[in-house]
Amino acid sequence: MAFAELWDSLLPVGRDPRTSGYRRQAFTDVDLQCRVWFSNRALERSLRLQTDRNSNLWAWWDRPGGGAAVVTGSHLDSVPDGGAFDGPLGVVSGFAAIDLLRERGFEPSRPIAVAAFAEEEGGRFGLACLGSRLLTGAADPAAARELRDGDGVTLAAAMTGAGLDPAAIGPDEELLGRVAAYVELHIEQGSALDGLGAAVGIAEGIWPHGRWRLDFTGRADHEGTTRLPDRRDPMLPYAATVLAAREAAAAHGALATFGKVTAEPGAANAISSAVHAWLDARAPDEVTLLALVAEVAAAAREAAAAHGVEVGLRRESYTPPVEFDPGLRARLAGALAARGITAPALPTGAGHDAGILAARRPAAMLFVRNPSGVSHSPAEQAERADCEAGVVALAAVLEELAGR
Ligand code: GLV
Ligand code: MN
Ligand code: MN
């Protein structure tokens, strides 16, 4: 099947008609529709469908001799109002690459699989790459079961509601042992490839990054009657912390962002009793990252004290620096060069399941050009011809890794 037909079959699922962005949150009805889409694509290709213990989906092109597989894929969940490409491009390209290999009569010497990892964005339960972290033992299953979404629903309850078994989650050495290598194709989340005039690139590594939750607790009061000096308004230290984070990030050559904030009780005429905010911080190295977060935390404490507000800080998610397997990267580069494909090497500040798997298995990534560089937004875009070039590149890589 051509890329276009596969791509178009997924496109309507979870699209918000107001914004054209995607709301594909883990274990929701839309997620179930994505899972049905994946199952149908696997079954129509006679690929063996597996939902693993951690709700990740696998479509296996089994081989008689068995052996460890070359796995490709990505994720189908999105950030709230995300773009169409972040995640789905890798899954769709995986199926399309298998179609291309079969059209050519390619017979792999080892199994090939397409995977779709659960809750990669952490958009619902806060812990990014949840499915791959659980699989590889990088997340504690008991703690994961107790994670709550914005409505207070636990992961365990959400999984049960989706017909999945939360008691089963946890490390899966047997499945991991069946993965010889993981190669994730992903839209580039910057515009470096555009600048270099290349349709595809090879990831070098991922900056260390994490999420920290800050809870500012003050006192709700009447906005029309409470004198300014009498207030304990948590919005003020929160605002000071946003500005401090931006300044500290600039000083460190790093990134720090508050992209999510909630205020309680959330009334237009009541001073907030509490403000909950999420800091996303990323840096070229861990020392810088930890120094940056320490500075933001100190600024939050100082501003909170100045306004009679309490502040608590808790790390919700952390990914150490990742350097993708140099040997595997060299094989990717060689396979692409042999077919005349120029694929520059790129670092990235974005997190991926490939970064989590890299701690346990050889992993690598291919990026596809994104002319605007925009991602985590409905404006995310890749040209059809570049997506097709991505499929050709991925097929070349699968052929190299699973060939005789
Ligand atoms: C995942 O897309 C992340 O980097 O947050
Ligand atoms: Mn993303
Ligand atoms: Mn992604």
Side-chain angles (χ1 to χ4, degrees):
M1 192 185 285
F3 173 86
E5 201 180 324
L6 259 169
W7 182 251
D8 292 347
S9 66
L10 180 61
L11 216 48
V13 182
R15 181 160 54 191
D16 183 330
R18 282 178 314 118
T19 62
S20 298
Y22 286 83
R23 297 181 185 276
R24 293 173 175 159
Q25 296 231 294
F27 312 122
T28 59
D29 284 349
V30 169
D31 184 46
L32 291 182
Q33 289 174 50
C34 290
R35 288 169 178 273
V36 168
W37 175 89
F38 185 98
S39 307
N40 289 339
R41 300 297 79 79
L43 296 176
E44 71 196 10
R45 287 168 177 74
S46 303
L47 300 173
R48 181 171 52 84
L49 180 69
Q50 178 191 9
T51 304
D52 73 16
R53 296 170 46 176
N54 297 299
S55 306
N56 306 308
L57 297 170
W58 302 73
W60 294 92
W61 182 359
D62 289 316
R63 298 308 292 162
V70 178
V71 181
T72 187
S74 192
H75 59 97
L76 294 174
D77 65 309
S78 74
V79 295
D81 213 29
F85 296 82
D86 176 358
L89 185 63
V91 180
V92 168
S93 299
F95 286 121
I98 286 181
D99 291 352
L100 191 57
L101 291 175
R102 285 177 166 177
E103 269 166 43
R104 290 187 196 149
F106 174 69
E107 291 281 348
S109 65
R110 52 171 74 244
I112 292 179
V114 181
F117 290 99
E119 177 73 333
E120 190 271 353
E121 299 287 6
R124 181 163 180 194
F125 292 101
L127 183 55
C129 301
L130 182 63
S132 55
R133 281 185 206 271
L134 287 166
L135 163 69
T136 56
D140 173 52
R145 277 188 282 271
E146 296 307 316
L147 290 170
R148 285 177 192 274
D149 70 7
D151 295 325
V153 178
T154 61
L155 176 76
M159 285 185 70
T160 304
L164 297 157
D165 179 12
I169 65 173
D172 192 339
E173 292 300 325
E174 197 273 326
L175 178 54
L176 211 49
R178 283 195 276 136
V179 179
Y182 178 60
V183 180
E184 178 168 351
L185 178 145
H186 204 279
I187 187 165
E188 192 200 346
Q189 297 172 294
S191 56
L193 287 173
D194 196 48
L196 295 165
V200 296
I202 297 174
E204 285 179 321
I206 302 179
W207 278 16
H209 58 280
R211 296 180 193 177
W212 288 261
R213 173 179 164 142
L214 285 85
D215 297 293
F216 296 92
T217 312
R219 187 187 62 217
D221 214 329
H222 197 293
E223 288 182 3
T225 59
T226 316
R227 292 182 333 128
L228 294 179
D230 296 340
R231 297 179 177 204
R232 291 173 50 212
D233 183 353
M235 196 60 81
L236 295 169
Y238 162 66
T241 307
V242 174
L243 298 176
R246 168 72 186 225
E247 234 173 75
H252 284 286
L255 300 166
T257 316
F258 284 91
K260 177 175 168 183
V261 57
T262 60
E264 290 179 34
N269 57 357
I271 295 163
S272 300
S273 55
V275 170
H276 311 290
W278 283 261
L279 169 71
D280 177 306
R282 311 184 187 218
D285 61 80
E286 263 179 316
V287 172
T288 307
L289 178 60
L290 298 180
L292 166 65
V293 174
E295 273 174 41
V296 178
R301 278 192 288 271
E302 195 182 314
H307 292 283
V309 166
E310 307 287 320
V311 63
L313 180 133
R314 185 158 51 87
R315 192 174 86 177
E316 283 197 341
S317 170
Y318 188 74
T319 309
V322 173
E323 196 212 345
F324 288 117
D325 188 272
L328 184 58
R329 278 156 52 203
R331 283 187 77 183
L332 263 57
L336 298 184
R339 288 163 182 81
I341 301 170
T342 308
L346 306 173
T348 179
H352 300 285
D353 295 305
I356 303 300
L357 282 155
R360 301 292 313 280
R361 315 299 304 152
M365 290 189 77
L366 290 175
F367 288 140
V368 170
R369 172 163 51 193
N370 173 352
S372 69
V374 174
S375 188
H376 285 184
S377 150
E380 181 181 76
Q381 190 53 37
E383 297 297 332
R384 182 59 52 89
D386 287 346
C387 295
E388 285 164 354
V391 172
V392 169
L394 181 60
V397 163
L398 296 178
E399 208 169 354
E400 159 71 18
L401 300 178
R404 287 175 197 284

